[in-house]
Amino acid sequence: FYDTFPSKKELGLVYLRRKEEESMADLKALMRDYPEPQQLFRAWVLAKKRQIKRGEFFGCPFLRFALQMPAGDAEFQKQLKSVTKMWEDLLCGYIGDAIALGHLPRETDAPALARKALAVYEGNVAMWRISGLTIYLDQMPEMFEAILKG
């Protein structure tokens, strides 16, 4: 175990990078398949529900990791901020494409909408994890729809 990773910290950083790659690949695949934001957000929720049924999803790995690490750890904070920026940039680009395709109004603030979408996702996944109640996952499409309408 520690022959491969010289420290628990290094193991943690590698874990974050791998989860980042997996998360980005999954979200990019959904974005390719669903050019309309309403469809994307529904598909995102359904994908998470399928992963839960298969025992493959236990909540956001980044949130779970962040809550277990000391708040002042600069390396972990840097990596977690990087993940957040990548998610925001990916969603922002997708939203920009949706605006260009006429799926969203021209006046849509892509960065703000991306942040709101992440907050809806993270908040509901966290509440599902805390409570065990799938109502938090079930309400996500409706909440995404609300932020899309402004």
Side-chain angles (χ1 to χ4, degrees), residues 19 24 33 39-40 65 79 83 88 96 103 105 112 117-118 133 138 141 148:
K19 287 299 179 183
M24 294 299 136
D33 293 343
Q39 294 173 342
L40 169 71
F65 190 89
Q79 188 66 34
V83 169
E88 286 178 1
H103 298 306
L118 286 172
L133 300 174
D138 297 339
L148 287 171

Side-chain angles (χ1 to χ4, degrees), residues 23-77:
S23 297
M24 294 299 136
D26 289 348
L27 191 51
K28 284 177 183 178
L30 287 172
M31 289 175 168
R32 275 191 305 274
D33 293 343
Y34 300 96
E36 292 186 40
Q38 295 86 346
Q39 294 173 342
L40 169 71
F41 293 133
R42 273 189 237 110
W44 196 4
V45 172
L46 289 173
K48 291 301 156 193
K49 285 181 167 184
R50 281 192 297 271
Q51 289 176 332
I52 290 166
K53 282 186 180 181
R54 292 190 308 254
E56 298 171 352
F57 185 71
F58 307 99
C60 174
F62 309 109
L63 178 60
R64 288 182 18 238
F65 190 89
L67 293 173
Q68 293 178 29
M69 292 300 119
D73 190 298
E75 281 184 89
F76 288 134
Q77 275 307 122

